[in-house]
Amino acid sequence: MNEEMKFCINCGKKIPKEAEFCPFCGARQKPIGEPKEEPTEERNESPTAAIESANDADYRYNESQHPGMINSFKLYLADAFTVSKRMGRADYWWSYLTVVIIQFIFSLILFGWLIAYPIMVINIDGSISINSGKFTLVALLSIPMAFLGIATFTSMIRRLHDTDHSGNLMWFLLLPIVGPIVLLVMTVLKSSKHGERFEKDSRTRQWYKKWWSWVLVLLLAVLYTFSLASISSADFSGLDYSQTPSTSRGDNDDTEDSQSSSAESSSEKSKDDTVTLADGTKVTIVDKLTYEPNTTDTSWHGSKLVVKKVNVIKTKPFKYDSGDSAYTAHGIIYLKYSYTPTLDVTPMDNEATISTNTGTQADIDSMDSETFDDIDSGVTKTAEAIFPMSKLDNVGSITTLRFKFPVSPQDTNSDDWKDYDLTINLDK
């Protein structure tokens, strides 16, 4: 308590006599050996007057005594919702470097995962399916991203204050190209002794004790969440055309002419259509035919399986990797089917296979399909299956499909399984 004090040669505040640097402004003090100034009446001047007497060329301001990645980042976090202060050049750029590294690593992992495993799938019928687990995880991860966004914004305002410029210059961000360049130049300027005019000597509660801080973070996190969800999506709605053959295959010549005309019409409509698979692969549609066979199977306890719709789609060759195997696909077969069991069951259509009369077999693309979960007795559910085909030369050449998948009762003591093996005729 009896420690001798002196006045800072820069800011005029009282500091310990032995201090080499001012703990308030960071200015270097005169060595003890040099003649010291007595605290005369001049020392009773206001801090502003003392600042005016400082040497402009040597003026430095950093709230951290030792700016660096850790110390400056701590200051960045502590003042995340504060604008009525200054932030020195060293503190600003050290904290900025830390944030860039964190966001780069975070984005690299998050965006890679979102592209590989989409949150939202736009189905062929136009409906939207959202993976609630992934959506919740992204929502939680968006909270720190929102916080860093706010903290970066306010730290730039404090840096502008330190250069004796108003935070209103942040409006320059609305100007494309020019605005960010102007602000970049402002943030690399050295500290100005006049920047103290922006400081307010008001000590309030920490930001995390203020309700409005959390409301702001959560609102921005919601925006981040839906932005990421829109990026992480697979769109199959472009596959759904109501293109049905206009005649049956009664007479061979007439059927071929009708089918050729239908295929030309389909090709003309879809020549520029593309869809994106769950792994980000872009698929271009070349030709397509749609059927509504309504093929029904009630052979197992009266449970009703109905294949309602089939799309035979020729595409430009694309690389398909199921995880177990990889090959070049030349088309896609889409099935829409419903199931109404007479007992509680677990359909395993995520293991479905399909084979064609042309001798090609394919496994279901489980990432891009909407398959069944458990179904209670008497409940009807609808599923959609996608099968990438390694060979599909002509959409009209496929006249028969063989659709297979197993179903088991939910009663674990029952061995009464059903292996569906359904033949679907497309020439009717």
Side-chain angles (χ1 to χ4, degrees):
M1 297 298 295
N2 296 323
E3 183 180 6
E4 294 187 28
M5 307 294 287
K6 65 179 179 180
F7 293 89
C8 174
I9 63 173
N10 179 52
C11 67
K13 295 182 180 180
K14 285 186 178 182
I15 60 175
K17 182 179 179 180
E18 303 298 326
E20 186 178 353
F21 294 91
C22 174
F24 299 100
C25 68
R28 184 182 181 87
Q29 307 301 304
K30 290 183 179 180
I32 298 298
E34 293 188 13
K36 57 184 178 181
E37 298 180 11
E38 295 297 330
T40 61
E41 293 182 359
E42 293 180 358
R43 279 303 179 190
N44 296 324
E45 295 177 349
S46 66
T48 304
I51 291 176
E52 292 293 341
S53 66
N55 188 334
D56 288 350
D58 295 333
Y59 183 76
R60 296 288 186 274
Y61 174 81
N62 274 298
E63 193 170 344
S64 300
Q65 293 187 12
H66 303 287
M69 291 184 69
I70 297 178
N71 291 336
S72 299
F73 186 62
K74 288 180 179 178
L75 180 64
Y76 167 93
L77 296 177
D79 292 338
F81 290 84
T82 303
V83 294
S84 57
K85 288 184 66 176
R86 294 181 291 165
M87 192 172 193
R89 180 166 56 181
D91 277 329
Y92 176 80
W93 285 108
W94 275 116
S95 63
Y96 188 84
L97 174 62
T98 307
V99 172
V100 167
I101 294 174
I102 292 173
Q103 289 186 331
F104 175 77
I105 297 174
F106 188 80
S107 300
L108 195 65
I109 297 173
L110 181 61
F111 280 95
W113 176 68
L114 290 177
I115 292 174
Y117 305 99
I119 297 174
M120 181 172 62
V121 175
I122 304 175
N123 301 311
I124 294 178
D125 61 359
S127 62
I128 297 177
S129 301
I130 296 178
N131 187 309
S132 58
K134 294 176 184 176
F135 186 85
T136 302
L137 179 60
V138 169
L140 293 175
L141 294 177
S142 294
I143 294 177
M145 291 181 64
F147 175 81
L148 290 178
I150 294 172
T152 300
F153 185 84
T154 58
S155 67
M156 185 175 288
I157 293 178
R158 298 194 302 277
R159 177 80 267 267
L160 290 173
H161 287 172
D162 188 49
T163 63
D164 194 29
H165 292 93
S166 170
N168 288 326
L169 291 178
M170 294 293 288
W171 290 106
F172 274 106
L173 289 175
L174 299 178
L175 296 177
I177 303 176
V178 176
I181 293 176
V182 170
L183 288 176
L184 176 63
V185 173
M186 293 291 186
T187 55
V188 298
L189 295 177
K190 73 181 188 69
S191 300
S192 171
K193 58 189 177 184
H194 301 291
E196 193 178 62
R197 66 190 177 94
F198 293 103
E199 291 192 348
K200 294 180 181 179
D201 189 15
S202 58
R203 295 294 178 180
T204 58
R205 292 178 301 168
Q206 292 92 335
W207 65 265
Y208 53 82
K209 295 182 179 180
K210 301 174 184 177
W211 66 268
W212 60 265
S213 300
W214 290 105
V215 171
L216 186 59
V217 169
L218 291 176
L219 287 176
L220 192 57
V222 170
L223 180 62
Y224 273 130
T225 300
F226 283 97
S227 298
L228 292 172
S230 64
I231 294 172
S232 177
S233 63
D235 188 354
F236 293 94
S237 57
L239 289 174
D240 190 18
Y241 286 93
S242 299
Q243 177 72 28
T244 306
S246 57
T247 61
S248 62
R249 293 173 179 258
D251 181 78
N252 290 338
D253 294 336
D254 292 342
T255 301
E256 291 178 0
D257 292 342
S258 173
Q259 189 171 353
S260 175
S261 175
S262 177
E264 290 175 2
S265 174
S266 173
S267 178
E268 181 180 353
K269 287 183 179 180
S270 60
K271 62 182 178 181
D272 295 326
D273 292 324
T274 60
V275 293
T276 305
L277 299 181
D279 62 358
T281 302
K282 299 288 185 180
V283 180
T284 302
I285 301 171
V286 176
D287 200 358
K288 169 182 47 58
L289 285 175
T290 299
Y291 302 86
E292 297 179 358
N294 289 317
T295 304
T296 304
D297 187 317
T298 57
S299 60
W300 187 56
H301 300 294
S303 298
K304 188 176 181 180
L305 172 65
V306 181
V307 177
K308 298 181 176 182
K309 189 174 184 179
V310 177
N311 281 353
V312 180
I313 305 160
K314 179 176 175 57
T315 67
K316 290 185 178 180
F318 64 94
K319 295 291 184 181
Y320 175 71
D321 189 349
S322 65
D324 297 327
S325 62
Y327 56 89
T328 300
H330 294 80
I332 293 173
I333 290 181
Y334 159 78
L335 267 66
K336 183 175 183 179
Y337 50 99
S338 66
Y339 192 53
T340 309
T342 57
L343 64 162
D344 297 346
V345 297
T346 301
M348 287 174 280
D349 52 335
N350 59 329
E351 302 176 3
T353 62
I354 200 169
S355 55
T356 69
N357 60 291
T358 58
T360 303
Q361 180 175 320
D363 295 329
I364 190 172
D365 177 2
S366 56
M367 287 292 296
D368 296 305
S369 301
E370 292 293 323
T371 55
F372 293 126
D373 47 17
D374 290 346
I375 308 178
D376 293 339
S377 175
V379 176
T380 300
K381 289 190 176 182
T382 301
E384 297 174 317
I386 303 290
F387 299 89
M389 307 302 293
S390 60
K391 183 179 180 181
L392 204 164
D393 297 326
N394 184 350
V395 292
S397 64
I398 297 179
T399 59
T400 304
L401 299 175
R402 188 179 178 187
F403 182 40
K404 299 172 64 177
F405 70 92
V407 175
S408 69
Q410 293 182 25
D411 182 1
T412 56
N413 295 321
S414 175
D415 295 328
D416 187 14
W417 286 53
K418 171 64 175 179
D419 288 317
Y420 278 101
D421 189 347
L422 189 63
T423 299
I424 307 168
N425 294 316
L426 305 179
D427 58 346
K428 294 182 180 180

